[in-house]
Amino acid sequence: MSLKAGIVGLPNVGKSTLFNAITKQNILAANYPFATIEPNVGIVFVPDTRIDFLAQLYNPKSVVPTTFEFTDIAGLVKGASQGEGLGNKFLSHIREVDAIVEVVRCFDDSNITHVTGKTDPVSDIEIINIELVLADLEIVNNRLGKIEKKAETTKDKDALLEVAILKKCKITLEANTPLRRINFDDDALKLLKNYNFLTIKPIIYVANVDEETIVVGDNDYSLAVKNYAEAEGSGVIVMCAKLEADLAGLEKEEKEEFLNSVGINNSGLDKLIFATYDLLGLATFFTVGIDEVRAWTFQKGMKAPSCAGIIHSDFERGFIKAEVTSFDDLYQYKDEKKVKEAGKLRIEGKEYIIKDGDICYFRFNV
């Protein structure tokens, strides 16, 4: 299951610095607009101490953690929906991601140019949101112009439903409201998926603060971002991209020692990865053995056959049953045989909903 998060924001807010830290890649992070033109893509491992334990227990030939793809997308400016800056190129790149990570500048620095001339995180957020709203509104208006009269003339049930849903989108967008704030039913969401609207994608804000603020936790700018996000039901991660970039170059022990010395439990990057993972409703199941210990990403609520299909389509097509052990039980007993003797190994059928941390062995026949 390949999942992508797009890192967006105005120019010079710390997007590329953050991306460098996430992927440990030396991507250009220059002090002028549009330093990033083509999107840079990096694959990161999702931190998970459970797979470390499983690797020690089974000592397999290979260990494959679950991964997440981050894309650093060019800085957006006011008027992008009409082609300003990198305009449509930016918007086409963001349409390809599953979730949006919007980096917001929450620090003052006279040496780093701010594209609007001053630090105002809420204004920055609204500039981007309005451009995304306008881009979606253009799609809605174009589609309604093509199908509305025909739907009313033919009285086609599906066409009329599409028109009704798009009109609801139009009203929402004309009020400068992102579509993600609307509770659409399953039928509407299925239809809207075809349009790949920008404002329906889940979003998390990264309040990029300076090194002094990150120790304290907040400043007036990051608090403003938190208040804005809370009002629309979105998440916020406060971090210092510059500090994270410095930490990325340290060994694990050095990194932990430094974080402890300044009173920080987890790095901002780990928090961002966890938050983005959760934002998309994702979880992890495992397959284990002497050949391989592997973590698999799945959508919460998926049943056993669908999760088996993530491994291979034949597993889903010929699904018979799943032998399931929870990670917590294996961690407690430290041995498969003891787990089985304790009655903790379960045989589950087609209706079983896989849970985060399940260790699965799928039986199938094709």
Side-chain angles (χ1 to χ4, degrees):
M1 183 178 287
S2 177
L3 295 151
K4 302 178 182 179
I7 303 175
V8 305
L10 294 177
N12 297 342
V13 297
K15 299 184 321 303
S16 295
T17 302
L18 175 61
F19 181 79
N20 291 350
I22 288 174
T23 61
K24 298 186 182 179
Q25 293 187 36
N26 189 24
I27 304 302
L28 177 64
N31 179 26
Y32 54 88
F34 314 126
T36 306
I37 297 177
E38 293 299 329
N40 299 301
V41 178
I43 306 296
V44 299
F45 295 123
V46 177
D48 195 330
T49 57
R50 295 174 299 183
I51 201 167
D52 297 331
F53 169 81
L54 294 172
Q56 290 179 354
L57 186 64
Y58 288 91
N59 192 26
K61 296 174 183 176
S62 68
V63 178
V64 184
T66 190
T67 59
F68 204 95
E69 184 175 304
F70 281 93
T71 303
D72 178 26
I73 298 173
L76 181 65
V77 295
K78 187 175 181 179
S81 58
Q82 279 77 49
E84 292 295 325
L86 296 173
N88 293 330
K89 196 167 190 178
F90 169 95
L91 299 174
S92 67
H93 291 154
I94 198 173
R95 288 193 194 282
E96 298 172 4
V97 303
D98 300 297
I100 298 171
V101 175
E102 184 171 333
V103 182
V104 187
R105 177 167 167 171
C106 292
F107 62 88
D108 292 315
D109 189 332
S110 59
N111 294 317
I112 300 178
T113 304
H114 192 290
V115 71
T116 66
K118 64 176 182 177
T119 305
D120 187 343
V122 171
S123 174
D124 293 355
I125 290 172
E126 290 178 342
I127 286 173
I128 289 183
N129 282 351
I130 288 172
E131 294 305 321
L132 300 185
V133 162
L134 291 173
D136 283 352
L137 186 58
E138 182 180 7
I139 292 175
V140 169
N141 286 332
N142 287 341
R143 181 59 177 166
L144 283 174
K146 292 179 181 179
I147 68 168
E148 187 173 4
K149 287 185 178 179
K150 183 178 179 181
E152 292 174 352
T153 301
T154 63
K155 303 299 180 183
D156 179 80
K157 183 179 178 181
D158 291 338
L160 287 171
L161 176 62
E162 183 176 1
V163 168
I165 293 171
L166 289 176
K167 282 186 174 180
K168 183 177 181 179
C169 292
K170 180 180 172 71
I171 292 170
T172 302
L173 294 167
E174 285 180 340
N176 284 332
T177 301
L179 295 177
R180 62 178 169 271
R181 296 193 193 179
I182 306 302
N183 291 321
F184 293 104
D185 60 29
D186 290 342
D187 289 338
L189 288 173
K190 186 176 180 181
L191 185 147
L192 293 175
K193 189 175 182 180
N194 298 323
Y195 292 100
N196 208 11
F197 286 127
L198 299 171
T199 65
I200 207 167
K201 297 178 185 294
I203 190 168
I204 189 166
Y205 298 103
V206 171
N208 184 20
V209 300
D210 56 30
E211 291 167 287
E212 292 181 6
T213 301
I214 195 62
V215 178
V216 179
D218 274 304
N219 58 24
D220 289 343
Y221 297 138
S222 61
L223 287 173
V225 174
K226 284 185 174 181
N227 290 335
Y228 185 94
E230 184 180 359
E232 71 166 18
S234 297
V236 179
I237 299 293
V238 178
M239 70 164 66
C240 174
K242 184 177 182 300
L243 176 63
E244 297 294 336
D246 292 339
L247 287 173
L250 300 179
E251 296 296 328
K252 183 178 179 180
E253 293 76 13
E254 292 177 311
K255 180 178 175 180
E256 290 176 353
E257 183 179 343
F258 177 82
L259 290 173
N260 290 332
S261 70
V262 294
I264 300 174
N265 295 325
N266 291 309
S267 74
L269 293 184
D270 287 352
K271 290 178 183 177
L272 176 60
I273 294 170
F274 293 144
T276 310
Y277 208 66
D278 187 61
L279 184 68
L280 291 171
L282 304 178
T284 303
F285 74 88
F286 302 94
T287 53
V288 298
I290 59 173
D291 290 327
E292 180 184 76
V293 165
R294 183 163 184 161
W296 303 85
T297 301
F298 71 100
Q299 201 83 34
K300 292 177 182 176
M302 287 178 66
K303 294 181 179 180
S306 298
C307 284
I310 294 173
I311 300 174
H312 197 286
S313 59
D314 284 349
F315 286 22
E316 181 174 11
R317 185 160 56 93
F319 180 89
I320 299 173
K321 62 182 178 181
E323 296 180 5
V324 181
T325 302
S326 74
F327 173 83
D328 289 343
D329 287 335
L330 184 57
Y331 184 80
Q332 178 183 350
Y333 292 100
K334 306 290 191 298
D335 183 272
E336 281 187 2
K337 185 178 179 181
K338 291 180 180 178
V339 168
K340 191 172 182 179
E341 289 173 349
K344 299 295 185 178
L345 174 64
R346 309 188 310 275
I347 305 299
E348 304 288 359
K350 293 182 178 181
E351 296 303 310
Y352 176 69
I353 297 175
I354 297 292
K355 297 178 178 61
D356 182 57
D358 277 351
I359 300 168
C360 303
Y361 178 76
F362 297 108
R363 295 195 179 276
F364 72 104
N365 183 33
V366 292

